[in-house]
Amino acid sequence: MRMITYDKIYDVIVVGAGHAGCEAALAAARMGAEVLLLTISLDTIAQMSCNPAIGGLAKGQLVKEIDALGGEMAKNIDKTGIHFRLLNTKKGPAVRSSRAQADKKLYHVEMKRTIEEQKKLEVKQEVVEDLIVEDGRVKGVITKTCAFLGRTVILTTGTFLKGLIHIGDTSFVGGRLGEPSAENLSDALRRLGFEIGRLKTGTPPRVNAKSIDFKAMTIQYPDDPPRPFSFSTDRVDRPQVPCYLTYTNERTHEIIRRNLKRSARFSGRIKSVGPRYCPSIEDKIVRFPDKERHQIFVEPEGLDTLEIYLNGISTSMPVDVQVEMLRTIPGLERVEIMRPAYAIEYDFAPPTQLKPSLETKLVEGLFFAGQINGTSGYEEAAAQGIIAGINAVLKIRGEEPLILDRSQAYIGVLIDDLVTKGTDEPYRMFTSRAEYRLVLREDNADLRLMEIGRRLGLIDDETYARFSMKKRLIAQEMERLQEIKLYPNPETQQIMKEMGTAPISQPMTLRDLLKRPEVSYRMIERFFPPSQEMPWQVKEQVEIQVKYEGYIRRQEEQIKQFRKMERMIIPPEFDYSKVKGISNEAREKLSRIKPRSIGQASRISGVSPADISILMIALEAWKRRMNRE
Ligand SMILES: Cc1cc2nc3c(=O)[nH]c(=O)nc-3n(C[C@H](O)[C@H](O)[C@H](O)COP(=O)(O)OP(=O)(O)OC[C@H]3O[C@@H](n4cnc5c(N)ncnc54)[C@H](O)[C@@H]3O)c2cc1C
């Protein structure tokens, strides 16, 4: 049979319209490239495979960074969120994160519409089976029906590559429950020379709300008012609904223990490694035998459905055991499962095969983003997606790629971890992975990244004008707080008393007063009001910048040191086999990973500080020699 070739050459072809693919395609099209988005089903664009929620600890930071760069995830959850909460409000601002439950169907519908309406972006339902590669450069893709030509290709295939679903002792192929898998693409990658690994993840059952006794559970109210994710959203209009909390108990655990051998995970049916930090309920019972109960968040999947997601009880038990164990849980005594829990194994490409731009080292113009790189989570996927989309366009233009470093963004931490260290289990983001987390807060993601988004053409005039105004107001208010000085007179001491803080003994600026732990910006504003009303985002920023000034300054000093090492670029042609004195392990890993800088080299496991010292000297000598020649 003769293969038909579609009569257009695209700049960027994106394979897969999940969370990575949508961001990649939108970013590339908004930068002016001709983009084709191919996906197995148009009815599952931006489908939430697991939890119908965006954000959470460290993930909220990623979403705000995507937004600051001009991405879509934050805007989409603002349009479709039904339960917003700011997490960790009692802790410091570095670890505060936003999270919102989505109306799952609406999340898909809104993203689909955004994709359909985007200029220069075409979306088609197709299954990609192979890649067209000539002389080490990607030229397009081959689907079940025809060939599409493109200057760059981004693969964002999620859990679909040879997806194998397990429910107890039943296993069948599928990319997600009810959806086909992509059976041929990972073989095509292997033929091209890529290393392919296998990972596993799992999801809990969805149940019918009419079979739940919510009165037996603890109610959890959303924040009022809901705080939007996007820097360009004024307010969230959608009705907000509560979630509920319940717990497993000894009876539940006993049923799980008794049936452990019937779990696909423990019967040996599942061979691959799952997410350590998102374990199945049977994993939790085995790993923490002394724990008397495990919490289950009972979360609605939408406003127009009775489907409920049981967060915390992911399992690969057979359906009869799922029913039996659920019915021991308060509020779930008469529960009816609508969709069973399941585990899935899938192919992924170990991410040390990528450059920090997310382009593969093996095939020029080919990029990977999302779960195919061994990550887990919508936000991690979307973060890689937007970077891959941007870098595909920069590649076509012959410009330098956008590489965010570890001190600029969680996105930088994520990609650096992946390409430098790789991963042999599903990787998810945590605040503890970011060494400069005091400066990588979600509240300042726009201050860190929006200029970059604007330069790339991804931030519109209105958003940029708003951002510039915010920056101006912050600077203005910081200056006012520094200029206004209080003197220890009876009037001031009376105000101190009303504020509930100690009298002052020396002249003091408002800025120094705000540094006192018991003094909030709200108090300063009440007693010493600024000349104009400030948006809450400005007040929050001023308060954080003043209160954490000392810590932030110390972290900025560390960042200066870090950047010095990052600026020591190692050209790709540098030959590690000629460096005398480094360990064999270091030589092997440096040659394989080809770090971009001495900084990145120093983070490769097995490369010691001694290796780095020798490498720096060798690199200097090599550069001098190159200059002479
Ligand atoms: C069962 C299950 C449980 C999960 N549990 C968790 C969890 O507990 N915590 C967590 O954070 N994350 C979890 N996830 C992961 C989360 O869903 C993913 O990390 C996230 O969706 C990845 O985004 P992505 O864009 O990389 O891929 P996906 O969202 O999976 O999207 C991939 C897209 O690519 C398309 N596609 C695939 N192959 C082809 C092809 N050959 N041709 C054309 N189109 C193709 C698919 O149709 C799909 O639209 C789970 C996923 C599943 C399936």
Side-chain angles (χ1 to χ4, degrees):
M1 196 183 74
R2 206 172 69 84
M3 174 64 67
I4 302 157
T5 302
Y6 200 73
D7 63 347
K8 179 170 176 180
I9 301 178
Y10 292 92
D11 294 322
V12 183
I13 298 178
V14 180
V15 180
H19 306 278
C22 289
E23 294 293 349
L26 286 168
R30 287 168 179 166
M31 286 172 75
E34 291 291 341
V35 181
L36 174 63
L37 175 58
L38 300 174
T39 197
I40 294 178
S41 168
L42 294 182
D43 297 326
T44 56
I45 289 177
Q47 174 83 351
M48 297 173 138
S49 318
C50 193
N51 191 347
I54 294 292
L57 301 181
K59 291 169 174 261
Q61 277 85 333
L62 284 171
V63 181
K64 300 259 178 176
E65 290 177 359
I66 295 165
D67 187 58
L69 288 172
E72 199 57 33
M73 184 170 250
K75 293 188 188 75
N76 210 52
I77 184 66
D78 287 346
K79 283 188 245 173
T80 60
I82 55 174
H83 180 108
F84 283 74
R85 279 181 69 194
L86 183 62
L87 308 178
N88 270 349
T89 45
K90 295 207 172 71
K91 297 193 179 156
V95 292
R96 273 176 222 156
S97 305
S98 301
R99 181 181 187 277
Q101 288 290 130
D103 182 312
K104 180 166 141 182
K105 201 81 217 155
L106 213 53
Y107 191 89
H108 146 74
V109 168
E110 288 292 341
M111 189 64 93
K112 180 166 184 262
R113 190 204 311 265
T114 304
I115 297 266
E116 286 166 344
E117 286 175 351
Q118 178 60 48
K119 282 196 199 114
K120 290 183 172 272
L121 172 55
E122 285 167 30
V123 56
K124 296 184 196 297
Q125 183 163 305
E126 291 277 354
V127 182
V128 174
E129 307 249 274
D130 206 347
L131 295 167
I132 308 169
V133 176
E134 283 169 23
D135 303 325
R137 237 208 112 103
V138 75
K139 298 282 178 187
V141 301
I142 297 171
T143 72
K144 278 189 193 294
T145 62
C146 69
F148 292 93
L149 302 180
R151 294 184 175 90
T152 56
V153 171
I154 306 175
L155 295 189
T156 67
T157 47
T159 51
F160 285 70
L161 300 183
K162 287 198 194 291
L164 184 63
I165 290 174
H166 302 276
I167 304 176
D169 42 19
T170 311
S171 303
F172 49 93
V173 292
R176 263 185 308 234
L177 196 60
E179 292 179 50
S181 58
E183 287 297 311
N184 297 323
L185 192 52
S186 47
D187 289 337
L189 292 174
R190 253 196 211 100
R191 281 197 301 275
L192 286 167
F194 285 99
E195 182 195 342
I196 299 294
R198 202 127 169 98
L199 290 174
K200 168 236 152 186
T201 188
T203 194
R206 285 21 166 217
V207 299
N208 192 319
K210 76 174 184 228
S211 64
I212 297 180
D213 176 11
F214 290 103
K215 288 196 289 299
M217 301 176 173
T218 312
I219 192 161
Q220 288 208 310
Y221 292 103
D223 290 345
D224 185 20
R227 209 180 217 232
F229 263 94
S230 172
F231 293 104
S232 55
T233 305
D234 280 325
R235 58 168 200 282
V236 171
D237 291 328
R238 201 157 291 286
Q240 300 293 294
V241 296
C243 292
Y244 296 84
L245 183 60
T246 186
Y247 294 91
T248 60
N249 53 52
E250 200 31 60
R251 275 175 58 220
T252 330
H253 300 181
E254 201 279 312
I255 290 169
I256 293 169
R257 274 194 291 267
R258 182 157 36 86
N259 288 286
L260 218 46
K261 284 223 168 71
R262 297 186 64 200
S263 146
R265 159 83 175 84
F266 284 91
S267 65
R269 197 169 263 275
I270 294 177
K271 307 265 181 321
S272 2
V273 186
R276 177 191 307 248
Y277 304 101
C278 225
S280 65
I281 189 70
E282 49 266 39
D283 270 313
K284 289 190 224 177
I285 304 296
V286 169
R287 268 163 50 187
F288 312 105
D290 298 334
K291 204 155 176 200
E292 285 169 6
R293 60 182 200 170
H294 294 276
Q295 58 186 15
I296 299 170
F297 292 98
V298 177
E299 302 173 335
E301 292 239 322
L303 295 178
D304 298 321
T305 173
L306 292 189
E307 256 187 277
I308 297 282
Y309 177 91
L310 297 179
N311 188 348
I313 194 153
S314 137
T315 180
S316 61
M317 285 286 188
V319 177
D320 60 310
V321 182
Q322 294 186 27
V323 174
E324 195 186 350
M325 69 192 200
L326 287 183
R327 289 191 177 165
T328 60
I329 296 170
L332 300 180
E333 293 84 353
R334 291 149 60 87
V335 80
E336 285 298 337
I337 291 180
M338 293 177 76
R339 300 182 208 227
Y342 65 97
I344 182 166
E345 291 182 286
Y346 53 93
D347 284 352
F348 83 110
T352 46
Q353 302 174 92
L354 301 173
K355 300 176 188 173
S357 61
L358 296 180
E359 186 181 15
T360 65
K361 292 172 187 166
L362 201 57
V363 177
E364 205 182 343
L366 178 64
F367 295 74
F368 294 167
Q371 192 123 359
I372 188 175
N373 289 338
T375 58
S376 168
Y378 314 133
E379 305 77 5
E380 288 82 349
Q384 295 166 66
I386 190 168
I387 297 296
I390 290 168
N391 283 335
V393 178
L394 295 177
K395 170 97 193 173
I396 295 162
R397 291 186 192 157
E399 293 177 21
E400 281 296 302
L402 173 67
I403 295 165
L404 299 173
D405 73 36
R406 302 180 72 89
S407 69
Q408 274 176 299
Y410 271 84
I411 300 179
V413 174
L414 166 72
I415 294 177
D416 184 63
D417 277 352
L418 292 175
V419 304
T420 309
K421 299 184 186 135
T423 188
D424 46 17
E425 59 182 84
Y427 176 106
R428 64 154 290 185
M429 187 42 80
F430 292 105
T431 50
S432 56
R433 295 200 195 266
E435 51 278 59
Y436 307 117
R437 58 185 166 273
L438 204 51
V439 295
L440 303 186
R441 305 182 312 271
E442 66 163 49
D443 60 83
N444 70 354
D446 55 345
L447 300 172
R448 291 184 276 121
L449 301 174
M450 203 171 269
E451 291 292 355
I452 298 175
R454 176 72 175 173
R455 264 203 313 280
L456 292 166
L458 292 171
I459 299 292
D460 61 41
D461 291 347
E462 194 189 328
T463 308
Y464 191 66
R466 221 176 138 116
F467 165 69
S468 306
M469 171 66 85
K470 176 178 167 184
K471 268 202 328 196
R472 228 178 1 261
L473 288 175
I474 294 168
Q476 198 178 300
E477 186 56 358
M478 292 290 273
E479 206 178 305
R480 185 182 81 90
L481 296 185
Q482 185 60 36
E483 275 170 3
I484 297 183
K485 217 172 208 174
L486 305 175
Y487 293 90
N489 55 37
E491 194 191 341
T492 305
Q493 307 302 28
Q494 178 56 29
I495 293 175
M496 296 302 113
K497 196 169 162 199
E498 284 178 46
M499 279 185 174
T501 185
I504 60 170
S505 51
Q506 311 230 340
M508 182 184 252
T509 62
L510 280 186
R511 190 165 169 153
D512 283 337
L513 180 63
L514 182 54
K515 283 192 184 143
R516 289 184 172 182
E518 67 281 11
V519 176
S520 65
Y521 180 81
R522 196 192 292 229
M523 295 175 185
I524 299 273
E525 188 189 22
R526 181 170 149 222
F527 291 101
F528 309 96
S531 56
Q532 67 184 101
E533 176 56 29
M534 301 279 176
W536 65 265
Q537 295 92 334
V538 172
K539 298 179 195 176
E540 176 186 73
Q541 207 44 234
V542 168
E543 178 151 17
I544 292 172
Q545 286 189 15
V546 171
K547 284 212 178 289
Y548 296 90
E549 200 171 26
Y551 299 103
I552 292 173
R553 199 174 312 124
R554 269 203 296 283
Q555 196 139 98
E556 276 164 357
E557 283 306 314
Q558 293 165 359
I559 289 174
K560 269 192 208 149
Q561 288 305 316
F562 159 81
R563 290 217 170 121
K564 248 192 214 163
M565 302 271 279
E566 296 305 291
R567 275 197 297 269
M568 292 182 202
I569 298 294
I570 310 176
E573 60 275 20
F574 182 77
D575 185 356
Y576 296 95
S577 68
K578 303 235 164 73
V579 183
K580 293 200 181 80
I582 57 172
S583 69
N584 285 339
E585 183 185 0
R587 195 186 319 281
E588 185 270 312
K589 288 191 170 160
L590 288 163
S591 307
R592 183 160 50 84
I593 293 171
K594 288 193 178 301
R596 215 178 149 261
S597 64
I598 291 286
Q600 191 191 351
S602 70
R603 293 188 291 276
I604 299 174
S605 73
V607 177
S608 69
D611 294 323
I612 291 294
S613 308
I614 298 169
L615 184 60
M616 279 161 74
I617 296 166
L619 183 64
E620 269 314 298
W622 182 84
K623 282 183 178 166
R624 272 200 307 274
R625 212 169 46 249
M626 287 296 125
N627 282 343
R628 273 202 311 273
E629 287 167 10

